[in-house]
Amino acid sequence: EAQVTQNPRYLITVTGKKLTVTCSQNMNHEYMSWYRQDPGLGLRQIYYSMNVEVTDKGDVPEGYKVSRKEKRNFPLILESPSPNQTSLYFCASSPIGPLPYEQYFGPGTRLTVT
Amino acid sequence: AQSVTQLDSQVPVFEEAPVELRCNYSSSVSVYLFWYVQYPNQGLQLLLKYLSGSTLVKGINGFEAEFNKSQTSFHLRKPSVHISDTAEYFCAVSDPPAGNNRKLIWGLGTSLAVNP
């Protein structure tokens, strides 16, 4: 089954404790992206990647890191989480072409930083 | 910069009634438009998209949307809703790629509540 998986689905952590949210897709997509979803602010892009070893900042990259060492994986790293990073996080992937393709979303990771 | 406005944050409706969820975008030379649905505790999935061609686009689950360039709108409709349509609906627009990013610009969402 074609899918984007994220782990963990729920995470409660404390300020300053490094964490990684994993994202993996099995569709051989070149493009991957991380979003955060907050009430009243909608979805905002954190980072994106066009292919292996090619990543770039989205609209709200502060406090986050990413890497793309393999095509299927795109982990999101919070080196020193803070309470303002409490949010619902989505990973998405899509093929690349001359027209925009559908983005496939993971099920989300609900992060709480205390 | 491109922006998307979903005109209703909440839409309550009775089962089997018709529904319209409204979406307007800021004008651009050409845009690509999407509607995604988010069921409770799930990720987003594509309902339908407009890239070019016919302005009336049909999607999954009986939904359709009409692209209106002069009014810069892309309203979503369904003639008869079911309880299972209760979800959050997001309108999104993608400019023709500038550089490498296929970023979507998202509306804030419309919460559709279908009541028996």
Side-chain angles (χ1 to χ4, degrees), chain A residues 31 37 45 50 59 97 103, chain B residues 36 90 100-103:
Chain A
Y31 182 85
Q37 183 181 26
Q45 190 184 51
M50 297 296 292
D59 296 319
Q103 291 194 19
Chain B
Y36 281 80
F90 292 92
N100 290 327
N101 198 0
R102 266 65 174 167
K103 185 173 71 173

Side-chain angles (χ1 to χ4, degrees), chain B residues 14-85:
Chain B
F14 287 109
E15 194 172 18
E16 297 184 6
V19 70
E20 178 180 80
L21 307 184
R22 298 179 293 166
C23 174
N24 285 94
Y25 62 94
S26 55
S27 67
S28 178
V29 174
S30 63
V31 291
Y32 306 109
L33 296 154
F34 303 80
W35 276 98
Y36 281 80
V37 61
Q38 183 180 26
Y39 297 105
N41 297 316
Q42 294 186 28
L44 288 78
Q45 66 181 85
L46 183 71
L47 268 180
L48 48 80
K49 62 185 176 186
Y50 172 79
L51 301 182
S52 65
S54 172
T55 57
L56 183 63
V57 180
K58 294 192 183 298
I60 63 172
N61 300 340
F63 284 92
E64 63 181 32
E66 185 154 19
F67 170 60
N68 188 319
K69 188 174 183 178
S70 63
Q71 297 187 4
T72 61
S73 68
F74 191 54
H75 300 336
L76 181 71
R77 301 186 183 100
K78 186 169 182 177
S80 176
V81 294
H82 303 289
I83 298 285
S84 59
D85 292 322

Side-chain angles (χ1 to χ4, degrees), chain A residues 6-21:
Chain A
Q6 293 179 230
N7 283 292
R9 293 288 312 278
Y10 302 91
L11 179 60
I12 301 174
T13 190
V14 296
T15 299
K17 185 176 181 183
K18 181 180 178 179
L19 65 92
T20 299
V21 183

